[in-house]
């Protein structure tokens, strides 16, 4: 089975252009392909995971990935899937985020010896002359056709700024620039990017002729990825400072039963034969597949040692509830207490188990918070440094599956 056929079997491909040519290109290891990442934060998150795994999978088959960092397009913002205009970022923030991305991507992609490239579209977008760009590029785009694109139709009811309207043209110009500069002959993206991607292929063929070897493939990256990585605490990040390896492991260990086999196919590098055997599991036995998924993905992002610690910690925690060595934790100081006490709401906010104090109140009132196995429903409850923290820490339980240790350092 070639890598193209494997992508199909794993359920990654939604639609494409020039299927036979793309199949030959990928299976022969001759694809020079790009996937774009807008640096809207200082860490990649689970929503990017499918794209990173895809790039690694294709590179292992001899193809050359280009990770395109949208330092230029981030100055505008992609309207796809958004109900409001994105917040403007400074160039300094964008550059910092780009540097963070490259460090994290290096765990997935081998950038040594020209095996992969990381480029920033600010290199060609920021220096464009507006009038020249309109004449050379804008003339090839029909406003009528652009307005039929799903990414614009969704925003027209709420209001679409001219700034965002330019995004399709800029993304199309990215493919044109990558084709000319680096011989990029293939682009990948999510289904909400399809119109933008077709625009890039069309631009190349209009400016360079029908024989220009540029193709477009569309994978279910964003539509599936956007369903992942959202919790009550916010996004699940790849940065261990934002989401600990234990919390990362727990996220995948606790995904819905209906998603576990799909995630094993799309995100792990386990052989399909093994995944197909796991797909036969039912009921509580499916937890074994979830554990394997969590271990494999934590190993990919944080390394095997951290994955093993997370696995051991999760098993010990749920078997005995007494082993807290590998439990995610937050350190407190005496300054966090007033007259030797700290409010439970303040403690939940301090540990970042909740995104807001309002959410903390809701969870407490609904009986979703326990401290040292004691359920607390009083929103005014306080914990004493001398009594509750007599052993040096307390274990907070949120819901049925989230545990956190609060440690008092004297």
């Amino acid at each position: 089975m070639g890598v193209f056929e494997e992508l199909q079997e794993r359920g990654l491909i939604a639609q494409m252009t020039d299927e036979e040519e793309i199949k030959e290109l990928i299976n022969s290891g001759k694809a020079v392909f790009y996937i774009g990442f807008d640096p809207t934060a200082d860490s990649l998150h689970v929503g990017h995971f499918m794209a990173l795994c895809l790039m690694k999978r294709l590179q292992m088959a001899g193809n050359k990935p280009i990770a395109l960092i949208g330092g230029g397009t981030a100055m505008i913002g992609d309207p796809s899937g958004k109900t409001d205009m994105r917040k403007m970022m400074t160039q300094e923030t964008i550059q910092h985020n780009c540097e963070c991305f490259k460090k994290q991507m290096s765990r997935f992609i081998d950038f040594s010896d020209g095996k992969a490239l990381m480029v920033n579209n600010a290199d060609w977008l920021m220096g464009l002359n507006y009038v020249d760009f309109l004449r050379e590029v804008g003339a090839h785009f029909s406003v009528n056709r652009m307005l039929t694109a799903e990414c614009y139709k969704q925003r027209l009811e709420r209001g679409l700024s001219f700034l965002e309207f330019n995004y399709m043209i800029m993304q199309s110009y990215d493919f044109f620039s990558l084709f000319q500069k680096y011989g990029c002959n293939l682009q990948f993206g999510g289904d909400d990017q399809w119109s933008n991607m077709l625009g890039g292929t069309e631009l190349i063929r209009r400016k360079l002729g029908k024989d220009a070897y540029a193709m477009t493939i569309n994978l279910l990256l964003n539509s599936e990825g956007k369903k992942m990585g959202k919790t009550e605490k916010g996004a699940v990040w790849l940065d261990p400072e934002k989401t600990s390896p234990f919390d990362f492991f727990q996220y995948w260990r606790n995904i819905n039963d209906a998603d576990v086999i799909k995630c094993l196919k799309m995100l792990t590098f386990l052989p399909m034969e093994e995944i197909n055997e796991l797909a036969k599991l039912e009921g509580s036995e499916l937890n074994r597949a979830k554990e394997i998924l969590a271990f494999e993905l934590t190993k990919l992002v944080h390394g095997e040692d951290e994955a093993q610690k997370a696995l051991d910690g999760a098993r010990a925690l749920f078997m005995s509830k007494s082993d807290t060595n590998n439990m995610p934790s937050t350190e407190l100081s005496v300054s966090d207490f007033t007259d030797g006490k700290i409010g439970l709401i303040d403690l939940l906010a301090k540990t970042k188990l909740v995104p807001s104090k309002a959410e903390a109140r809701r969870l407490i009132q609904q009986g979703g918070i326990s401290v040292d196995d004691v359920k607390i429903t009083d929103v005014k409850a306080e914990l004493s440094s001398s009594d509750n923290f007599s052993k040096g820490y307390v274990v907070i339980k949120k819901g049925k599956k989230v545990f956190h240790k609060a440690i008092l350092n004297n």
Side-chain angles (χ1 to χ4, degrees):
M1 180 189 297
V3 65
F4 178 84
E5 289 79 10
E6 184 179 355
L7 296 180
Q8 290 183 312
E9 185 176 7
R10 289 180 179 271
L12 287 165
I13 299 178
Q15 58 184 11
M16 71 197 85
T17 60
D18 309 291
E19 178 174 348
E20 289 304 313
E21 290 87 344
I22 291 172
K23 177 180 176 180
E24 170 62 25
L25 201 63
I26 290 177
N27 284 345
S28 64
K30 296 178 181 178
V32 181
F33 67 97
Y34 95 89
I35 299 178
F37 301 82
D38 272 351
T40 53
D42 59 0
S43 173
L44 297 164
H45 54 72
V46 165
H48 297 113
F49 208 59
M50 195 178 295
L52 295 171
C53 292
L54 173 68
M55 296 175 85
K56 180 180 179 72
R57 203 181 303 277
L58 290 176
Q59 187 182 49
M60 290 169 62
N63 298 286
K64 184 174 181 177
I66 299 176
L68 177 64
I69 306 298
T73 41
M75 298 292 288
I76 290 181
D78 182 1
S80 303
K82 303 291 183 296
T83 57
D84 296 297
M85 184 172 167
R86 276 181 172 167
K87 181 181 178 182
M88 292 283 194
M89 295 187 297
T90 65
Q91 292 190 40
E92 291 76 17
T93 298
I94 291 171
Q95 183 57 38
H96 170 71
N97 293 349
C98 290
E99 292 168 359
C100 293
F101 276 23
K102 183 169 185 178
K103 182 179 179 181
Q104 292 178 340
M105 285 181 181
S106 296
R107 291 197 66 91
F108 294 82
I109 305 165
D110 182 4
F111 290 99
S112 67
D113 304 321
K115 296 174 185 174
L117 297 175
M118 175 173 285
V119 297
N120 190 328
N121 64 13
D123 293 345
W124 53 82
L125 291 178
M126 298 301 287
L128 288 173
N129 178 286
Y130 184 62
V131 175
D132 288 344
F133 184 72
L134 288 179
R135 287 172 57 87
E136 297 298 320
V137 179
H140 296 289
F141 287 82
S142 162
V143 171
N144 290 344
R145 285 186 62 187
M146 291 173 70
L147 289 175
T148 64
E150 195 63 33
C151 61
Y152 290 142
K153 287 165 63 178
Q154 294 174 0
R155 286 293 308 277
L156 284 173
E157 295 180 5
R158 295 284 300 270
L160 176 70
S161 71
F162 180 72
L163 185 71
E164 295 169 291
F165 187 65
N166 280 269
Y167 193 91
M168 179 186 291
I169 301 177
M170 295 177 72
Q171 183 173 330
S172 299
Y173 189 68
D174 282 344
F175 193 20
F176 176 80
S177 299
L178 291 170
F179 178 80
Q180 288 197 304
K181 292 175 180 289
Y182 306 108
C184 180
N185 51 30
L186 202 56
Q187 60 177 327
F188 290 75
D191 58 348
D192 60 347
Q193 299 291 317
W194 186 242
S195 297
N196 297 347
M197 294 161 65
L198 292 178
T201 304
E202 184 66 18
L203 179 63
I204 291 173
R205 290 176 175 168
R206 280 177 174 268
K207 289 189 67 66
L208 302 179
K210 293 183 178 180
D211 293 333
Y213 195 58
M215 288 171 282
T216 309
I217 188 171
N218 181 38
L219 302 186
L220 277 174
L221 300 178
N222 293 336
S223 63
E224 293 295 329
K226 286 178 179 178
K227 297 177 185 177
M228 305 180 203
K230 298 294 184 181
T231 70
E232 291 178 351
K233 294 171 65 176
V236 176
W237 303 98
L238 305 193
D239 184 344
E241 297 298 318
K242 289 178 172 288
T243 299
S244 71
F246 183 88
D247 284 339
F248 187 85
F249 179 97
Q250 288 295 89
Y251 169 77
W252 295 107
R253 173 61 182 78
N254 295 325
I255 65 169
N256 294 329
D257 290 356
D259 293 330
V260 61
I261 299 302
K262 178 171 62 179
C263 289
L264 282 167
K265 289 180 178 180
M266 290 182 168
L267 304 179
T268 76
F269 291 82
L270 295 176
M272 283 300 301
E273 294 80 5
E274 183 176 345
I275 295 173
N276 289 333
E277 286 299 311
L278 292 171
K280 298 176 183 178
L281 301 176
E282 296 179 350
S284 61
E285 289 187 343
L286 199 57
N287 288 329
R288 182 159 66 90
K290 291 184 180 182
E291 193 173 78
I292 291 171
L293 172 69
F295 181 84
E296 290 297 321
L297 297 189
T298 306
K299 181 173 69 173
L300 265 176
V301 176
H302 299 295
E304 189 162 2
D305 287 346
E306 291 295 336
Q308 191 62 51
K309 288 180 185 177
L311 174 61
D312 293 342
R315 285 178 173 175
L317 181 63
F318 289 104
M319 287 179 65
S320 68
K321 301 294 190 296
S322 60
D323 186 345
T324 66
N325 291 329
N326 293 307
M327 190 181 295
S329 61
T330 298
E331 294 188 356
L332 306 174
S333 66
V334 292
S335 63
D336 292 311
F337 292 73
T338 302
D339 297 329
K341 295 182 179 180
I342 184 171
L344 179 57
I345 288 177
D346 293 329
L347 179 60
L348 292 174
K350 181 75 176 178
T351 58
K352 298 182 180 178
L353 279 169
V354 291
S356 67
K357 290 187 176 181
E359 177 64 14
R361 291 188 187 92
R362 184 188 69 79
L363 279 172
I364 293 170
Q365 290 172 336
Q366 294 180 353
I369 298 295
S370 298
V371 177
D372 287 339
D373 287 330
V374 177
K375 184 178 293 186
I376 301 177
T377 57
D378 182 3
V379 296
K380 296 181 179 179
E382 294 181 320
L383 303 183
S384 166
S385 59
S386 57
D387 295 332
N388 300 98
F389 285 86
S390 59
K391 62 181 179 294
Y393 67 89
V394 297
V395 174
I396 305 167
K397 179 182 177 183
K398 186 180 79 168
K400 295 181 179 180
K401 300 178 179 179
V402 177
F403 292 82
H404 196 94
K405 182 165 65 173
I407 304 169
L408 175 58
N409 289 325
N410 293 313

